[in-house]
């Protein structure tokens, strides 16, 4: 369990685990040009037992099932696999509007994970062989960065290895959020993506730009009496709603213990897809004009993938 300083609230929360079951690593301020999370990870890796064959990483807000670690590391038996990743699903227990929008927004990213090669490893649930971690020089990629997952992905792929998705390594995240928290969080995610994975950012931005532009044009035509545009609107919206339903069904299969939540709020995965699509466009536009992010009390200027102030 890695923290920046011993006064972190997490230390008291995990006090009962420390000893034989867990070890506390206090990273200190670390490198001034590197994000706090990565400084914590670098300290944790340095403190890991030399005999450890696999390094697995989890975020502090994730809730995992007992077999999560087994599901995460199983695919590392394939020598072609450099790293394995899971992903998250947000379960806001109170079902407030912006919290549900965050869940649906996040689920559209989760929907990209599945058969084939994931576009990136997600830092809240990823594992890598210690030998691969060293040979791919992941620590070199991490220094000067704030993105542990994008940089680890780049290191693994530069080594000629692939990323593998593990459905059994999905993570549940809880909590509610306000509109301000929603936009701060999503814009931060997309700003990081624009700096560390610009091709992925441009693909997403152009897709939403033309989709929303076509939708707005068709609605304007209908408002002017051009009912011939109704099939265009249906053709644009129905597939997205259907994909939202498929994502919900997949999530239900991966989180069978949370069926009660899906009974109460599963509708959001289907019927909030349209407003979330427009929110995506707003978030893309907001992230296009900044390289500055705010994260847990720190402000970072993302100059390049390996240069942060």
């Amino acid at each position: 369990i890695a923290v920046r300083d011993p006064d972190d609230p997490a230390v008291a929360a995990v006090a009962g685990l420390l000893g034989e079951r867990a070890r506390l690593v206090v990273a200190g301020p670390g490198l001034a040009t590197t994000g706090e999370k990565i400084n914590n990870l670098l300290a944790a890796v340095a403190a890991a037992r030399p005999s450890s064959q696999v390094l697995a990483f989890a975020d502090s807000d994730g809730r995992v099932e007992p077999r999560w670690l087994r599901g995460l590391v199983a695919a590392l038996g394939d020598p072609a696999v450099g790293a394995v990743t899971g992903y998250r699903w947000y379960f806001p227990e109170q079902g407030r509007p912006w919290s549900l929008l965050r869940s649906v927004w996040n689920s559209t990213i989760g929907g990209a994970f599945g058969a084939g090669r994931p576009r990136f490893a997600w830092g809240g649930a990823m594992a890598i062989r210690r030998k691969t971690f060293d040979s791919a020089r992941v620590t070199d990629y991490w220094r000067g960065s704030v993105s542990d997952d994008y940089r680890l992905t780049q290191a693994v792929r530069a080594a000629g290895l692939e990323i593998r998705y593990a459905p059994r390594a999905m993570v549940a995240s809880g909590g509610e959020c306000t509109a301000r928290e929603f936009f701060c969080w999503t814009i931060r995610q997309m700003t990081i993506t624009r700096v560390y994975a610009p091709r992925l950012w441009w693909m997403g931005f152009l897709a939403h730009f033309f989709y929303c532009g076509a939708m707005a044009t068709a609605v304007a035509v209908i408002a002017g009496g051009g009912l011939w545009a109704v099939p265009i609107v249906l053709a644009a919206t129905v597939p997205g709603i259907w994909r939202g339903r498929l994502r919900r069904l997949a999530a239900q299969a991966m989180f069978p213990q949370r069926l009660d939540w899906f009974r109460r709020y599963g509708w959001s995965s289907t019927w909030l897809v349209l407003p979330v699509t427009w929110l995506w466009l707003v978030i893309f536009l907001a992230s296009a004009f900044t390289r500055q992010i705010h994260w847990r009390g720190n402000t970072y200027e993302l100059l390049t993938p390996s240069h942060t102030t």
Side-chain angles (χ1 to χ4, degrees), residues 4 16 30 33 51 77 86-87 106 114 116 124-125 168 218-219 230 253 259 263 277 306:
R4 177 187 171 105
T33 58
S51 60
Y87 198 62
N106 181 77
R168 289 186 296 172
V219 171
V230 171
L259 286 180
R263 291 190 187 100
T277 299
S306 58

Side-chain angles (χ1 to χ4, degrees), residues 26-277:
V26 179
L31 301 171
T33 58
T34 301
E36 181 177 324
K37 180 182 181 181
I38 291 184
N39 277 324
N40 290 350
L41 292 176
L42 289 170
V45 169
R49 290 175 298 185
S51 60
S52 297
Q53 297 182 41
V54 172
L55 299 174
F57 304 92
D59 281 349
S60 58
D61 62 342
R63 304 174 187 177
V64 302
E65 295 304 309
R67 296 183 181 273
W68 171 81
L69 187 58
R70 182 187 299 272
L72 184 63
V73 304
L76 290 176
D78 184 343
V81 175
V84 182
T85 184
Y87 198 62
R88 70 181 154 215
W89 187 283
Y90 275 103
F91 292 93
E93 294 300 330
Q94 299 178 34
R96 293 173 181 170
W98 285 103
S99 303
L100 290 175
L101 286 168
R102 177 175 66 175
S103 179
V104 177
W105 185 90
N106 181 77
S107 73
T108 60
I109 302 174
F113 289 83
R117 298 181 180 180
R119 291 170 178 165
F120 61 94
W122 178 62
M126 65 185 181
I128 183 172
R129 288 185 297 271
R130 180 65 172 269
K131 181 178 179 181
T132 303
F133 185 90
D134 293 336
S135 63
R137 301 183 297 109
V138 175
T139 54
D140 292 340
Y141 277 78
W142 274 355
R143 292 189 183 97
S145 171
V146 298
S147 176
D148 56 317
D149 38 25
Y150 278 130
R151 292 298 275 167
L152 182 140
T153 298
Q154 292 164 0
V156 167
R157 288 183 173 156
L161 299 170
E162 66 179 76
I163 308 292
R164 182 74 56 83
Y165 169 59
R168 289 186 296 172
M170 286 289 286
V171 174
S173 292
E176 305 290 330
C177 72
T178 64
R180 177 182 176 83
E181 290 167 339
F182 171 86
F183 283 108
C184 287
W185 177 72
T186 53
I187 292 170
R188 185 178 77 220
Q189 304 304 311
M190 287 300 99
T191 301
I192 291 173
T193 300
R194 186 170 69 87
V195 173
Y196 291 93
R199 184 173 179 271
L200 182 60
W201 186 92
W202 275 106
M203 288 173 56
F205 170 68
L206 292 175
H208 280 81
F209 180 82
F210 287 111
Y211 175 88
C212 292
M215 176 72 70
T217 302
V219 171
V221 169
I222 294 171
L227 297 182
W228 58 267
V230 171
I232 297 177
V233 173
L234 292 176
T237 56
V238 171
I241 293 173
W242 182 254
R243 285 194 296 270
R245 179 178 181 274
L246 294 179
R247 287 193 292 268
R248 173 176 59 81
L249 293 175
Q252 285 181 198
M254 289 182 279
F255 296 100
Q257 72 282 4
R258 294 180 179 269
L259 286 180
D260 182 61
W261 186 91
F262 285 107
R263 291 190 187 100
R264 285 183 291 152
Y265 303 117
W267 58 267
S268 63
S269 302
T270 302
W271 300 112
L272 292 183
V273 166
L274 188 57
V276 164
T277 299

